[in-house]
Amino acid sequence: MIVGTAGHIDHGKTSLVRALTGVDTDRLKEEKDRGISIELGFAYMPVEGVETIGFVDVPGHEKFIHTMLAGAGGIDFVLLVVAADDGVMPQTREHLAIVDLLGIRHGVIAITKADLVTDARVAAVEQAMRNHLAETALADATIIPVSSISGEGVATVRDEILDVARRFTQRQANGCFRMAIDRSFTIQGVGTVVTGTVLSGQVSVEDYVVVSPSGLKARVRSIHAQNSQSETGRAGDRCALNLVGPAITKAAVGRGDVICDPGLYAPTDRIDATLRVLGSEPKPIGHWFPARLHHASVEVGARIVLLAEQAVSPGTRARVQLVLDRPIAAAAGDRYVVRDTSARRTIGGGRFLDLRAPARKRRTPERMAQLDALCLSEVRQTIEALLAIPPFFIDIGAFGRDRAIAAAEAQALTRSLGVIELPSDAARLVMSLQSWEKLRGDILARLTVFHAENPDLLGMGVERLRTALPLRLPAPAFRAALQALVASVEIVVDGAWVRLVEHQVTMGPADERLWRQIEPLLGGSERFRPPRVRDIAVLLAIPEVQARRLLKLGSRMGRVHEVAHDHFFLRQVVAEMIAITAEIGAVADQGWFTAMQFRDRLENGRKVAIQILDFFDRHSVTFRRGDLRRLNRSRLDFFGNLPNAVPGVPLVRSDARGGDASPVGRPDFKFDRGRTSPS
């Protein structure tokens, strides 16, 4: 358990910590000379039968509220100090407000210097504190008169802390590792050491971590947890990590950074959040209000963007968007505090809801419904609510990452919910079974209509089909959905086209006989420079208009492509030429190649090579920059046949019973390493 002090300057916070632990947390010469705390101080109290209790002593001066906030972000228990002679002072009230905004629910109030005043004065201060505590989570906290000089009440404060520590539920350590850095220094012969409170998960010696938001990579060489050498550091521990890495130095890593599991690295500068404005704020908070945001140990400039028409009045709550001056490392559900830009007062605070907040359409009814779901306290409830509203799917990988949920936990959660997974290289989307059945029905219905209207076309374009559906999935996930229908033998995906499995485009007997004469002319050794329509007509002694009509029909059927006017290439030849561009690009500087290099590989004329490359440009198979081109690898399959079997892990229905997952639409089949076999 981590205990943090709070209270006005010179009210005896450091002296009380010294009386409790025997440690003087004022370590700087200036602190000794001035008799006040300037930086965060740390002490530990080993207790038999209880894990070592850590203390974070914060400065009380108004100029150092930002330092106080850097230390308060990870505490579990607050030791709020008020001097009997001074009574409740400005920083007493502000520190109490901050503690309440950070959601700290456990604490004790120490009325220090009780030996300097009368009992009546102590009683008056106690009543004043009760009045201030009434509207906070510490309303029922114990208030104890104390003297650090005589020792009066110190044992009672210690007993109160120990009583809570024995009943304290340690933070869960089964999430992904995050530690907010509040101090960085160098030890001779050891290297860079950073200290902070572990916010979630755990870390072990030799683990690889990332410094966020900078992205520096490091390895944990050694760990001190709760002031003792350890092999691991867990959520709730005060830890010192010895980090090593190519760019790891004291100057490169410091307060405000977060050490995290590499899978969590995704800094953000736009966050949707709840906001509670303190009743002490003189004016309502308007749109684009400037502020200083404090989260964990970081302080950053921010603008408060309203998600409703009305300004946020003092003493009220609202949802807002926080637009930050620079990216920070955070997690959904984290608490934050905002202060004014002059650092004179605390404005309010709240909880982060969505780390990937949209810059546009942030006030739409659909977005408000999503925020309603994100406000739910249980992760399971949030997922179920999100899947029931537009866009009817979520990226479960990003959802877990933004909440520091380990991949295994996220997988177990999706299995328990019985959702549909759409895996791809870009994301792991999930949707409810009801939404999947609607999507499936819409795809089949749209293809049925398309085939009825275009009986002579091979199929409907993949992208055209995707954008025509009410539920519009991202392209990679849509491909995964199509492959699920391929696996259930309902559709066929043929390069850029999709068709129902029963749909066939055929030529009449006469056209088919003529096609068998034309096709060899387009293949063989001359396949990269096939004859044009007029040449084919001459070779076969048929009217040019007849040859053109048949080749146009073959183009609609997907047998050939018209690369240039009256110049048709076999489909498989186009796919072969795309493969050649991939080979050229693989050895070219940054993938950029010239038309001359392409021409030489095809052993073709420059004019025809340029026509082919222009055709690729029009279909976004290649990107052009002046005389250079580079292959668009996401379009590699545009003119080639996609396998009509699901590669790798297919779309599956997560089994809420924990059994084997089976492909959607075919409950009597299961997948095994990409193959189908009867279950």
Side-chain angles (χ1 to χ4, degrees), residues 235-496:
D237 286 347
R238 282 287 311 170
C239 281
L241 306 182
N242 177 205
L243 300 179
V244 292
I248 299 299
T249 63
K250 174 186 173 182
V253 186
R255 178 175 293 171
D257 289 333
V258 171
I259 306 295
C260 64
D261 181 284
L264 294 187
Y265 180 69
T268 179
D269 60 2
R270 188 181 294 271
I271 305 170
D272 279 351
T274 63
L275 172 65
R276 173 163 69 94
V277 178
L278 295 177
S280 57
E281 187 64 12
K283 296 179 181 179
I285 302 301
H287 191 64
W288 208 242
F289 186 90
R292 301 296 296 175
L293 181 138
H294 297 262
H295 162 258
S297 60
V298 72
E299 177 187 0
V300 62
R303 291 280 183 168
I304 299 175
V305 179
L306 302 184
L307 297 181
E309 295 297 332
Q310 302 80 18
V312 189
S313 300
T316 64
R317 301 170 187 265
R319 294 174 189 160
V320 298
Q321 187 169 107
L322 303 167
V323 181
L324 311 183
D325 289 351
R326 58 183 174 84
I328 65 170
D334 284 356
R335 298 274 183 165
Y336 73 95
V337 171
V338 284
R339 305 188 76 228
D340 74 309
T341 53
S342 64
R344 289 182 177 275
R345 68 186 190 278
T346 297
I347 295 169
R351 187 166 63 91
F352 294 152
L353 296 177
D354 189 355
L355 304 187
R356 315 298 153 191
R360 298 175 61 251
K361 298 183 179 180
R362 53 194 170 205
R363 294 184 179 183
T364 63
E366 291 80 7
R367 182 58 184 167
M368 292 300 103
Q370 292 168 14
L371 292 178
D372 287 341
L374 293 168
C375 282
L376 298 174
S377 57
E378 295 293 329
V379 173
R380 182 188 182 93
Q381 293 175 343
T382 296
I383 294 176
E384 290 175 331
L386 288 172
L387 294 181
I389 58 177
F392 300 104
F393 62 83
I394 61 172
D395 181 347
I396 196 65
F399 182 89
R401 177 202 63 208
D402 286 349
R403 286 156 182 78
I405 300 173
E409 297 173 54
Q411 184 65 31
L413 185 60
T414 55
R415 282 185 176 276
S416 70
L417 288 168
V419 297
I420 302 301
E421 296 184 42
L422 293 162
S424 71
D425 292 338
R428 280 183 54 229
L429 299 191
V430 299
M431 59 172 51
S432 67
L433 184 58
Q434 293 79 6
S435 295
W436 163 252
E437 289 299 337
K438 185 178 186 311
L439 175 65
R440 172 181 171 275
D442 288 344
I443 290 173
L444 299 180
R446 189 70 188 86
L447 288 176
T448 299
V449 172
F450 182 83
H451 292 327
E453 295 174 348
N454 306 275
D456 60 342
L457 294 184
L458 177 64
M460 189 176 184
V462 171
E463 186 62 14
R464 182 179 175 185
L465 174 60
R466 184 182 76 87
T467 57
L469 297 172
L471 200 166
R472 188 174 298 181
L473 293 174
F478 185 64
R479 281 284 189 180
L482 293 181
Q483 288 299 329
L485 297 180
V486 168
S488 59
V489 199
E490 294 178 273
I491 66 169
V492 173
V493 178
D494 190 3

